[in-house]
Amino acid sequence: MNKELLFNTLSKYKIVKYDNILFREVDYSNISFYRLREAFYYLGVVLEEDEDKSICVAKIKSGFLNQNETVIATQTHKSSISFALYSEEGIIKQKSSEKTLNLILERLKNPKAPKKNGKKIFGSIFIVILLGLGIFIAPKLFSLNTATELTKAYNTSIREYNNSIDDYNALAKQADLSNVDNFIVEAKKIPTVEEDKLSVFYSLLKGNKVSSIEADTKTLKQMKSTLENNSTIINSIINPSEDWVISKIKDCNFIDSVKAVTQDNDPNNLLGKDGGYTGAVYFTINKLTEDKNADPVKLGTNGGGCIEIYKNTNDAKQRCEYLKQFDNSFLQTGSYTTIGTLVVRTSYQLEAESQYFVTNEIFKALTSI
């Protein structure tokens, strides 16, 4: 079971808490993607279906008076189905996720069984009766106006966050983020919630609180701030200037000296060429150079390493493919990896652990604000 995939899929439709997700792997050798989707259509609302990835997302109402909503993400396999279910529990624990899973499994076993419809008239009358019981309902009514206004503010924060996603994703497409921790390749938008008073009231009955809405809104604002900071960082590592690169790495305590190449001293003869780099900064590492005044460019990557700057990720990746052919040969190149549109290289004279350390510290420097 790919829990991370299912978690990320659920997160597209609801702010979920990982620890509250019910994960289950159920053996079913004769259940197809289409039959599972049919069950979801019968029991609730299908939110997403991806036949290629065998992923289906739905929401099904269950629990007391059928008012508690469970969001389900599934992935079908040859002999099993992976489930991830999330329900917000109120004061009274209804175990909605477990009940919803049992409802789905029962439907899969008996696809022709009639659906058990609740008596809507009885439910409406019962809700009216509950409204008259002030012990439980009154506090919800007193906080309804505040909760409604906060829910509207929450939706505003969602829309602002989603607007930031468009800018982030546009930049992310221009940069290679596969080697950068905590940077997602593509951010997903979050749907807004119902903000009319009846919907807000139902959410309060299910256990939602004014403090929870405020906390979720604060979290969204933090997410938006993080996304905007990451956008700034990504933009800075897309074909930056040599001066910017030098300013970011010069304070790494293991680096002795740095120097940018020119047309006259470029050892690779790639500066400004079609598919070549727009700039390159060589650096020396104190443990590899006894002469502190040595020219980093003349020493090449042997003296420490180099950061090559490219116009786009395709040129950077092509450079790595070129360097790859010298792996395990007498023309050793040391380590090389991409970040943004840059290729960070380290000396082959460094041990593997040191190569990783140097690359990681340079990554930190390049992605700092």
Side-chain angles (χ1 to χ4, degrees):
M1 176 188 297
N2 190 337
K3 291 185 177 181
E4 183 178 356
L5 172 63
L6 295 177
F7 170 72
N8 290 335
T9 303
L10 280 180
S11 298
K12 291 163 53 179
Y13 299 95
K14 197 173 189 67
I15 296 178
V16 299
K17 300 175 182 177
Y18 186 89
D19 293 339
N20 291 345
I21 296 176
L22 174 65
F23 292 104
R24 286 287 187 275
E25 185 80 15
V26 179
D27 292 333
Y28 267 116
S29 58
N30 61 339
I31 300 298
S32 67
F33 170 82
Y34 304 102
R35 185 167 164 191
L36 178 62
R37 182 184 62 184
E38 182 277 332
F40 283 156
Y41 272 118
Y42 190 81
L43 297 172
V45 178
V46 174
L47 302 175
E48 176 184 340
E49 50 183 292
D50 189 333
E51 183 180 346
D52 293 334
K53 296 181 180 179
S54 298
I55 290 176
C56 194
V57 185
K59 62 179 180 180
I60 296 174
K61 290 187 176 181
S62 62
F64 183 62
L65 289 180
N66 236 23
Q67 295 303 317
N68 204 15
E69 185 176 87
T70 301
V71 182
I72 311 103
T74 65
Q75 186 174 35
T76 55
H77 312 288
K78 289 185 178 180
S79 59
S80 66
I81 307 173
S82 299
F83 286 91
L85 303 96
Y86 181 84
S87 303
E88 289 185 356
E89 297 285 1
I91 297 174
I92 302 173
K93 302 300 180 183
Q94 303 181 54
K95 297 184 178 180
S96 298
S97 292
E98 291 90 338
K99 293 178 181 178
T100 302
L101 177 60
N102 291 334
L103 189 65
I104 296 169
L105 297 180
E106 183 62 30
R107 179 64 191 175
L108 291 174
K109 289 180 181 178
N110 302 291
K112 296 184 179 180
K115 189 175 182 180
K116 298 180 180 179
N117 295 316
K119 296 182 178 180
K120 294 184 179 179
I121 297 177
F122 172 78
S124 300
I125 294 174
F126 198 72
I127 290 176
V128 172
I129 294 173
L130 284 179
L131 289 173
L133 302 177
I135 295 176
F136 180 71
I137 303 299
K140 313 298 181 185
L141 288 173
F142 286 137
S143 63
L144 179 58
N145 286 337
T146 301
T148 301
E149 292 305 312
L150 289 174
T151 300
K152 292 178 180 178
Y154 171 76
N155 279 337
T156 298
S157 295
I158 287 179
R159 286 187 283 269
E160 291 174 350
Y161 173 74
N162 288 343
N163 288 338
S164 298
I165 282 179
D166 292 332
D167 294 334
Y168 177 89
N169 287 341
L171 286 170
K173 287 182 179 180
Q174 301 177 52
D176 183 3
L177 304 176
S178 59
N179 298 318
V180 189
D181 291 336
N182 303 320
F183 280 74
I184 53 179
V185 175
E186 182 181 7
K188 302 296 183 182
K189 292 189 176 182
I190 299 174
T192 55
V193 298
E194 297 294 334
E195 58 184 37
D196 61 280
K197 284 193 174 182
L198 182 59
S199 298
V200 174
F201 182 64
Y202 279 145
S203 76
L204 293 174
L205 288 178
K206 292 187 291 181
N208 198 13
K209 300 177 182 178
V210 166
S211 58
S212 298
I213 303 172
E214 290 176 322
D216 288 342
T217 302
K218 182 179 179 180
T219 298
L220 273 168
K221 290 180 178 179
Q222 292 172 341
M223 291 168 60
K224 177 176 178 287
S225 177
T226 298
L227 202 67
E228 290 174 344
N229 286 340
N230 287 352
S231 294
T232 300
I233 292 171
I234 295 171
N235 189 51
S236 67
I237 56 176
I238 297 174
N239 194 21
S241 67
E242 294 169 324
D243 289 341
W244 181 87
V245 172
I246 292 173
S247 70
K248 302 299 285 186
I249 70 170
K250 67 180 182 180
D251 292 329
C252 293
N253 56 20
F254 53 84
I255 290 180
D256 275 338
S257 59
V258 295
K259 185 177 180 179
V261 303
T262 65
Q263 293 287 356
D264 295 330
N265 65 4
D266 180 15
N268 300 299
N269 196 29
L270 292 175
L271 183 62
K273 299 294 178 63
D274 185 26
Y277 41 69
T278 60
V281 176
Y282 282 85
F283 57 88
T284 59
I285 294 178
N286 43 47
K287 67 187 295 185
L288 295 181
T289 53
E290 295 181 1
D291 183 2
K292 305 305 179 184
N293 296 317
D295 187 329
V297 175
K298 288 184 178 179
L299 291 176
T301 56
N302 291 348
C306 178
I307 300 174
E308 300 175 351
I309 307 166
Y310 292 87
K311 287 183 179 179
N312 53 60
T313 55
N314 183 62
D315 290 345
K317 289 179 180 179
Q318 287 296 322
R319 175 62 165 164
C320 287
E321 287 298 315
Y322 171 78
L323 295 172
K324 185 177 181 180
Q325 66 182 318
F326 300 109
D327 290 348
N328 302 317
S329 72
F330 72 95
L331 294 175
Q332 299 182 63
T333 60
S335 71
Y336 47 88
T337 189
T338 56
I339 174 175
T341 64
L342 311 175
V343 175
V344 178
R345 303 176 58 188
T346 65
S347 174
Y348 79 92
Q349 297 184 72
L350 293 171
E351 295 179 354
E353 184 176 346
S354 295
Q355 291 178 353
Y356 174 82
F357 170 79
V358 169
T359 301
N360 189 55
E361 291 301 305
I362 289 177
F363 272 27
K364 288 179 182 179
L366 293 174
T367 56
S368 63
I369 295 181

